[in-house]
Amino acid sequence: MTMELSHFTAALLFALCASVVFGITQRNTTREMLRYGAYCFVLFVGGVIVAGWAMWLIKR
Amino acid sequence: MANANEVKAKTSSAPAPPLTAMAVAAPVAGWLIPGAGHIIQKRWIRGLLLMLAVVVLFIFGLGMQGKVYAFNTGDLLDILGFLGDLGTGLLYVAARSMDWGQGAVHRATADYGTKFIIVAGLLNIVSAVDAYHIASGKKP
């Protein structure tokens, strides 16, 4: 069994799974869990996009 | 300074949580089977979501030809990799006994897979600690 994921897809999957765990474990109420999980996901994906553009700028 | 002393006094006088059977069983179960520490405390949805997150990361890590570290006393990063992998509990035992996760150095995505497996273990440890906090009453 071999899976071929692009770098971005792998980053999205990583962000999703990590955000689910962080959201559930780091907050107490369901609403706070959802908000914190979404916040972590946005930070993960946003970090990937910012790092991608930073590398593009460095390369030029 | 007075505030710091008050905080220190408050934290040191706080009673230790009782060591119940559940406070021992929940983190152990959560470590061995991802999400089980929450499920045995009837936190069904939380447990299933945690299980899904850890198992998906682990399976995709193996699928991307990631490496599962064996016990070793060599390079520091290899030792840390082993400790991270060990966090997945029975998933690690299954992978080692089935000889999965040999790693494929010629594939660029294999390195991502190795990291996926390590992070799955670390997230599972976080989940097991959370199960302990619920069992000891520190968290609702």
Side-chain angles (χ1 to χ4, degrees):
Chain A
M1 177 183 69
T2 302
M3 294 173 184
E4 292 285 350
L5 296 184
S6 70
H7 193 160
F8 188 65
T9 310
L12 282 183
L13 182 69
F14 181 96
L16 182 66
C17 293
S19 301
V20 166
V21 176
F22 286 165
I24 291 173
T25 58
Q26 304 301 312
R27 290 295 182 269
N28 291 332
T29 66
T30 305
R31 185 180 167 80
E32 285 175 347
M33 288 176 187
L34 287 170
R35 284 175 62 93
Y36 189 66
Y39 173 71
C40 289
F41 183 77
V42 168
L43 281 188
F44 273 127
V45 177
V48 167
I49 293 170
V50 168
W53 278 107
M55 286 187 279
W56 180 80
L57 286 172
I58 290 168
K59 186 184 173 188
R60 289 172 67 85
Chain B
M1 192 64 188
N3 280 344
N5 287 338
E6 282 173 18
V7 169
K8 193 175 180 183
K10 279 181 184 173
T11 51
S12 62
S13 65
L19 189 64
T20 60
M22 185 58 85
V24 176
V28 173
W31 169 56
L32 290 174
I33 304 170
H38 290 73
I39 290 172
I40 63 172
Q41 297 181 81
K42 296 187 171 58
R43 264 72 171 184
W44 306 104
I45 297 175
R46 290 190 214 177
L48 289 174
L49 283 172
L50 290 172
M51 180 183 285
L52 192 68
V54 172
V55 171
V56 163
L57 268 185
F58 188 83
I59 289 176
F60 270 81
L62 287 179
M64 293 161 77
Q65 307 289 299
K67 178 181 177 182
V68 175
Y69 289 92
F71 173 75
N72 66 87
T73 55
D75 185 56
L76 178 62
L77 289 179
D78 286 351
I79 297 171
L80 292 175
F82 165 71
L83 292 176
D85 286 357
L86 199 60
T88 54
L90 291 181
L91 289 175
Y92 176 78
V93 176
R96 290 292 304 160
S97 61
M98 302 292 281
D99 220 20
W100 294 334
Q102 291 303 307
V105 289
H106 60 282
R107 292 168 59 92
T109 55
D111 197 39
Y112 303 153
T114 303
K115 276 30 174 204
F116 269 39
I117 295 168
I118 294 173
V119 170
L122 297 178
L123 291 176
N124 194 38
I125 292 171
V126 172
S127 304
V129 171
D130 188 58
Y132 167 74
H133 284 156
I134 294 171
S136 61
K138 287 182 182 174
K139 183 179 176 182

